[in-house]
Amino acid sequence: MRVGILTGGGDCQGLNAAIRAVAKSLLLNCQAEIIGIEDGFAGLIERRVSPLSYADCSGILSLGGTILGTSNKASPFSYKGEDCSAQVMAYYKELQLDAVVMIGGDGTMSIAYELSKLGMNIVGVPKTIDNDLMCTERTFGFDTAVAIVTDALDRLRTTGHSHKRVMILETMGRYAGWIALHAGVAGGADVILLPEFPYDLDEVVKACQLRAGEQHYSIVVVAEGAKPKGGQTTVQQTIANSPDPVRLGGIGEVLKQQLELRLNAEVRATALGHIQRGGTPTANDRIFATNVGRHAADLVARKQFGQVVVLQQNCLTSVPLEQVANQSKGVSLADMTMNSALALGISFGDPSLKNPHYIK
Ligand code: F6P
């Protein structure tokens, strides 16, 4: 059996733990040959692969990033203006691969689905700090990102408290607010602004004023995809001819300028950026990435292709790629952590948002 492994999309913590789990499980239990595909789909397009031995996969469990390299700009269906999917399928056959394990987020799974329709045997493994993949309760990378943002909030709190300031922290997460919500709750934020629930600036001002009367400082967490009611997301850059054409970012600074005009307090904004994606994975992410990687190897061994490994009701299972492709999962009012945040009086910049259990 010859099995390729690729990592696609943005890097995150736990990718190497997942590569290690897929490769070691298949090497030890199926005597498979493992082929590492370089830089995500770019390696399939540009014919860049190399064998992965057991030794290559040792000592990488706690390493951040990906030993295979990755890209969030290379799609076989549109690469430098060309559809290279036929070339990619020919290369897959030439390599005599029985399957490819694709570790990635929604973008990678959407491409994987299209390639599976062309006949490639694929098993998907979900990763992303954004935690926005459909059908799965969790993706690895998320736990570490939340831990990093929570640590940053603990640090910002001391300055907020000492200087009586409003401290804004902008998180990543694209169009989903999972990182902001979870870190906001873990870090005791007073205001959390999420892409899923457009905010009213007056309400953010009110929440900070209320805090000023009580604790004299406020902690505001804003997801990069958050936007005011009737307004647009803040875009840092647009990139032509890219499968990932919009780079979000900058809402923290915009909010700082707006709040400074309205509040009798100093306001500071911090954007953590790629710090959220880097460095060593938490123990939870290492274990979860190991479990999903091993489960993907099980699916390959059983020749169950066209599937993505997912966590449902805290158990690993799999769903067809089709159910995950071209979609994403946002925060809803039914979410447990959202419910707790609302019950505890955290402002989301919209007074109509209420914990459904307390609505009379
Ligand atoms: O999807 C992961 C992520 O880190 C998002 O949270 C963020 O918007 C985006 O990738 C940043 O992409 P890039 O690394 O290309 O700047």
Side-chain angles (χ1 to χ4, degrees):
M1 186 187 263
R2 276 166 70 82
V3 181
I5 305 181
L6 72 74
T7 50
D11 71 335
C12 75
Q13 307 91 344
L15 282 170
N16 287 322
I19 294 168
R20 170 181 175 270
V22 173
K24 284 193 171 181
S25 300
L26 289 169
L27 285 162
L28 289 175
N29 301 294
C30 303
Q31 291 72 49
E33 271 179 79
I34 306 294
I35 307 297
I37 298 164
E38 292 173 20
D39 301 335
F41 293 104
L44 282 181
I45 300 166
E46 296 170 358
R47 300 180 158 245
R48 288 188 281 113
V49 303
S50 48
L52 266 189
S53 68
Y54 191 91
D56 293 330
C57 302
S58 286
I60 63 170
L61 173 64
S62 61
L63 270 188
T66 158
I67 57 163
L68 295 174
T70 188
S71 165
N72 55 8
K73 307 279 177 291
S75 164
F77 297 93
S78 169
Y79 189 65
K80 298 182 181 163
E82 268 182 56
D83 181 350
C84 305
S85 54
Q87 276 160 249
V88 162
M89 288 307 294
Y91 187 43
Y92 163 73
K93 286 184 186 136
E94 211 178 290
L95 288 170
Q96 297 184 312
L97 292 176
D98 295 293
V100 182
V101 174
M102 299 188 173
I103 308 173
D106 53 353
T108 302
M109 296 309 148
S110 304
I111 295 169
Y113 175 50
E114 294 306 319
L115 289 173
S116 74
K117 286 198 277 185
L118 297 180
M120 193 179 284
N121 293 331
I122 294 168
V123 171
V125 175
K127 68 87 213 177
T128 167
I129 61 164
D130 303 339
N131 199 37
D132 61 349
L133 214 77
M134 276 307 270
C135 301
T136 186
E137 283 155 21
R138 194 149 45 100
T139 54
F140 65 78
F142 176 62
D143 186 66
T144 313
V146 169
I148 291 168
V149 179
T150 303
D151 177 66
L153 286 173
D154 291 347
R155 291 169 196 280
L156 290 174
R157 177 177 299 281
T158 57
T159 300
H161 185 248
S162 307
H163 289 260
K164 300 183 175 53
R165 285 177 180 165
V166 173
M167 304 300 284
I168 301 172
L169 181 62
E170 177 185 313
T171 70
M172 280 187 163
R174 257 184 239 273
Y175 300 100
W178 295 106
I179 300 175
L181 174 65
H182 280 241
V185 168
D190 307 298
V191 178
I192 303 176
L193 304 176
L194 305 179
E196 294 84 349
F197 307 104
Y199 62 87
D200 179 345
L201 184 65
D202 290 342
E203 292 300 322
V204 180
V205 170
K206 259 196 233 167
C208 294
Q209 281 169 339
L210 190 70
R211 281 279 305 177
E214 293 165 353
Q215 305 285 342
H216 313 297
Y217 75 96
S218 301
I219 303 287
V220 178
V221 178
V222 58
E224 63 180 358
K227 58 182 180 198
K229 279 182 195 284
Q232 301 295 319
T233 47
T234 308
V235 172
Q236 199 184 101
Q237 200 185 352
T238 49
I239 308 140
N241 297 324
S242 166
D244 192 19
V246 175
R247 190 167 298 151
L248 296 173
I251 181 69
E253 193 55 38
V254 169
L255 199 60
K256 170 191 173 280
Q257 285 169 19
Q258 292 170 335
L259 288 180
E260 260 174 353
L261 295 175
R262 306 273 305 268
L263 291 170
N264 187 22
E266 282 188 59
V267 186
R268 295 287 188 273
T270 303
L272 278 182
H274 292 84
I275 287 170
Q276 291 157 95
R277 252 168 52 184
T280 57
T282 57
N284 272 334
D285 268 340
R286 293 179 205 189
I287 296 165
F288 187 46
T290 300
N291 285 336
V292 288
R294 188 271 311 151
H295 196 94
D298 295 354
L299 291 174
V300 171
R302 293 200 300 265
K303 300 193 187 332
Q304 282 180 256
F305 302 125
Q307 297 283 307
V308 186
V309 181
V310 291
L311 186 76
Q312 293 184 345
Q313 297 182 328
N314 214 26
C315 289
L316 283 182
T317 179
S318 64
V319 295
L321 274 166
E322 190 180 357
Q323 288 184 22
V324 172
N326 304 310
Q327 313 180 50
S328 66
K329 177 193 70 180
V331 176
S332 83
L333 274 182
D335 178 76
M336 175 174 69
T337 309
M338 184 73 193
N339 263 254
S340 303
L342 286 167
L344 269 67
I346 296 173
S347 170
F348 288 85
D350 179 351
S352 73
L353 296 178
K354 302 255 188 284
N355 178 316
H357 303 291
Y358 297 124
I359 296 174
K360 291 190 191 92

